[in-house]
Amino acid sequence: MRGQCTSGYLEETLVADEMRQAGFVIIAQNYRVGHLEADIIALDGDMLCVVEVKARASKANLKDLDVLIPPQKEQHLITIADTFARANKALNFRGVRFDFALVYAPYRGQPHVTYIKNAFIPGVLKNF
């Protein structure tokens, strides 16, 4: 469907390859915790990065991050990061960062990746 999500193996592989070229170490792709999934988990120096990849055939459909990656998806990424970090302390990372990779994948022409570091910072929820 034109303009809809085309994110999949090819786009995630493209992003992972670009991340490697930029010095990231890819730890996992399509990492699952139950029914939840993170597209890429990587190390950027001593920072653990949980990366969500979104691809669209139209640049216009990549503008609104809150629509592309809603708060519920952010919460899923936080859960995945927590589970992964607890199970992989031996990686000796100093913190966790949540990044987004937006892939403009036109039907004709080369795809283009926009990488956003610290795309969101988890907040602390309070029950009042």
Side-chain angles (χ1 to χ4, degrees):
M1 192 180 299
R2 197 162 192 78
Q4 292 299 313
C5 182
T6 60
S7 185
Y9 177 78
L10 292 176
E11 289 83 2
E12 290 171 8
T13 299
L14 171 70
V15 170
D17 289 346
E18 286 196 12
M19 291 174 69
R20 282 186 195 91
Q21 290 175 9
F24 288 77
V25 176
I26 305 301
I27 305 299
Q29 284 185 250
N30 302 310
Y31 181 81
R32 291 191 172 277
V33 174
H35 69 283
L36 307 178
E37 179 185 12
D39 295 324
I40 299 171
I41 297 179
L43 286 172
D44 183 14
D46 60 356
M47 186 65 64
L48 184 69
C49 302
V50 178
V51 183
E52 178 69 10
V53 177
K54 290 293 181 187
R56 296 289 187 270
S58 167
K59 284 184 182 179
N61 292 331
L62 285 172
K63 283 195 248 178
D64 299 318
L65 287 179
D66 58 334
V67 173
L68 285 172
I69 301 146
Q72 181 181 11
K73 179 63 179 185
E74 290 179 2
Q75 192 58 49
H76 292 172
L77 295 173
I78 293 166
T79 299
I80 292 166
D82 183 59
T83 301
F84 185 89
R86 290 174 191 273
N88 293 280
K89 291 179 183 177
L91 292 174
N92 292 322
F93 50 89
R94 68 173 169 82
V96 177
R97 188 175 77 211
F98 297 92
D99 299 349
F100 295 159
L102 307 177
V103 182
Y104 167 52
Y107 292 108
R108 294 185 185 145
Q110 291 294 105
H112 173 69
V113 176
T114 300
Y115 194 87
I116 302 169
K117 291 183 179 181
N118 288 312
F120 74 92
I121 299 170
V124 177
L125 300 175
K126 296 181 181 180
N127 293 325
F128 292 100

